[in-house]
Amino acid sequence: MGSTFSALHIVRRSSGGPASEAIVEAGYARLGWAPHPGDPDAGNPLRRVAVLPNPQGGATLLDDGCARFDDGTLRALAVELSRTPNVAVLVAAVEDSDIFTLLLYADGHQIDALSGPDEEALGPELTQASLGTRPALWTSACGPGSGPFPSAPLPTTSFAEEVMEAWLTAAGIPPEHASLQFSDVPYAMIRSYVAAPSAAPVDGPAPALETYFDPDDCPHLRLYPGPWPLAPGEATSLKWIVLCSAGGFDGLDLRLDFSEVTGDIHLSSVRAVAYPFHNGQITSPNPVAQAEQTIGRDLSDGPISITLGPFPMPALDPAARRRIAILLTPIVTPGPGSAARIGLSLGTCAPETAPLPLPPARLVAAAPGWVPRGAHGPDSERTPSLTEAEAVRVLATPSVLSGISILPGASDAARAEMQAAAERFVVALPGCADGSLTLRTLKHMTPSGSIAKKQIDMAPGALPPDKLWRRAFLAKSDMQTVAITLRPPGAALPMAGCSLQMALRPDPEEPGAEDTDPAPHLSFWMIDHPEAHAALGLDHTGFAALFADWLAHAQPLQAYLARAAWIPEFDLYTDYAHTPYEELTGVDWFRTGLNGTMMRRSWCAARLRFLSAMMWVSDEVAGDRVDLTALSAVADVERMGDLNRIVLKPQARMEDLEAVLAPILPGAVG
């Protein structure tokens, strides 16, 4: 057993500005804590705080309430302090000397997270930069005088403090501050005393509840009214997230309604856990409250109403930005071929609170009809990983209809055509005319590591005249991702969307950095379910015709009309994103150095990125590597300019198509 401690470090990108003590005091004030002028050992409750300036102009902050484990205060404080101009904030923690976490904050957001010895131990609520972008990101956040920051994976060591100290030193934190603990600070240096805020009475305002959606934690909600695939016979935890902005109650009233139940789906238990939540993220791994109730019944038995408690929720100021995130987790085990629709509503034991309807979900547990040959790797006895097993189910479940086109270039004329195609897609969804449209743009990363982001909500009819939209596809705007999502009236989440994504720009120091020609990925998608067709005003046939018309003008390198439980999303600077088919190729994309390269023209002109029953492959991609005679035996092949339109024959199998196209599939590396 070794030392366990946590601390916050303020990094100055430039000299000047308010003193660190003043920045800290203002940050605590925004969290609801006020200076306490008396003896730091008198009164209760108190937070005793030490702020130790350093020669670089920054400071190290130690809070006795977080001396061993951050109770959420340091993370919440880091968000507030990082809003100060030219200031970055690091939250460091070491557990038993061999496990550490280091969080980087800038401009009011957590932008990277390091952990050792296993970075996969980080929670999904934390933003984590890719290895390739991390050094530039840290240099930009911590200032030009910082660094160098390593670009390689974190070294494995038995002493986490050594690795963390190296990163803190590169950021400008004195080595002697890296492992400083509150117990090491002389009493005379404890200058700032902050008193706890007065608690609101429990019988105060009714707790305000609102739903919160996270696409990584709640994929089953994102595809509704389409189904989310489950593994038959395996217990699965589903998740709904509710934000509470008032609190002051004890207990949750939960109702679960089940319909369209086919086969056997067993509900074993329901769990609720509450965490501090601030500025879009959970700020502490320590729960505020938690409760679990065993159910032990089948969904076909009808609706269930339960009370989860005790579940004491502290009072919150509704005007503050701080919230509490309540994670509701039913645990279900589906039988083979089973399916169901689940609806939930959540209330509290406070009588003034009306039940909050939560987004419903559809579930299905059907065995896949096609398992790509790479799913088990070259050794057929190898057990697929959880990611591979989910990718197989995703490919087998037709919840989303996608039109994916990968284009040979990004000339001004091509960009204008892509913008016009996106506008035609929006117009083709009459059900969204009175709904809402969200436009999100991300620029290419600058040499300093920053990524400019914008997101606006508007009515679909306002899209063409909007200033941001008019500029989004221009080369001079330097956009890496332009995405729109459309939500029909009354829908909890978007049901359709369109995106343009460009290849990531390589690091000039990396091998192959001269390969910069992009293959723009323009994708259209809609939830593929009769309810979604009715809400959007477009069915499968209309979508396919719209996409085929676009391809006749675009002449892509490759394209797909796909049906899977997957919304097309590709590489971002914060994360590499493979297609579900690429996940099953058996290729180690990281070790081969291919991550970040599969949106370049050199790759997309040589390898397919997906496989579907209807696809378009250009002569440039097919070349002389595809046996057209063998292809004609399993698929109908039609010429469209330089494209081969390939449609799997009714009597053929996807395995047959996969075998014929093997020379140009992504697993054919080398």
Side-chain angles (χ1 to χ4, degrees), residues 190-437:
I190 303 176
R191 304 290 186 181
S192 301
Y193 320 127
V194 287
S198 57
V202 172
D203 59 354
L209 302 177
E210 60 179 307
T211 58
Y212 182 82
F213 172 69
D214 183 289
D216 295 324
D217 281 351
C218 313
H220 51 289
L221 303 180
R222 192 180 190 193
L223 303 187
Y224 186 83
W228 175 251
L230 303 181
E234 293 185 11
T236 302
S237 297
L238 306 174
K239 187 179 293 183
W240 279 259
I241 304 175
V242 176
L243 299 185
C244 178
S245 59
F249 61 89
D250 188 351
L252 298 172
D253 292 326
L254 179 65
R255 179 179 172 85
L256 299 96
D257 293 291
F258 313 109
S259 59
E260 306 171 20
V261 179
T262 301
D264 298 324
I265 301 183
H266 186 75
L267 176 64
S268 57
S269 63
V270 177
R271 187 183 186 203
V273 186
Y275 294 98
F277 185 89
H278 182 69
N279 201 46
Q281 63 186 354
I282 290 174
T283 58
S284 172
N286 302 316
V288 173
Q290 54 187 325
E292 184 169 4
Q293 183 164 326
T294 300
I295 306 297
R297 53 173 289 183
D298 293 331
L299 302 194
S300 57
D301 293 339
I304 300 172
S305 295
I306 60 174
T307 297
L308 291 166
F311 199 79
M313 294 285 284
L316 297 171
D317 179 2
R321 289 192 297 270
R322 286 192 295 168
R323 303 287 188 268
I324 291 177
I326 303 172
L327 279 54
L328 296 170
T329 308
I331 299 176
V332 299
T333 303
S338 60
R341 179 189 182 277
I342 299 180
L344 295 85
S345 63
L346 180 70
T348 75
C349 293
E352 302 90 346
T353 307
L356 173 71
L358 303 182
R362 275 195 174 90
L363 310 173
V364 65
W370 164 54
V371 178
R373 61 180 184 174
H376 304 295
D379 181 0
S380 61
E381 296 182 358
R382 184 175 70 85
T383 302
S385 67
L386 292 176
T387 300
E388 290 173 329
E390 182 173 291
V392 170
R393 296 194 298 272
V394 162
L395 284 176
T397 309
S399 299
V400 178
L401 179 62
S402 303
I404 307 161
S405 57
I406 301 177
L407 308 176
S411 65
D412 289 342
R415 289 171 177 271
E417 280 293 330
M418 288 187 279
Q419 190 165 21
E423 293 172 7
R424 288 194 295 270
F425 178 67
V426 173
V427 172
L429 302 172
C432 293
D434 296 324
S436 63
L437 180 151

Side-chain angles (χ1 to χ4, degrees), residues 97-110:
S97 295
D98 57 356
I99 301 173
F100 84 93
T101 57
L102 186 58
L103 310 182
L104 174 63
Y105 294 77
D107 301 320
H109 299 282
Q110 185 262 318

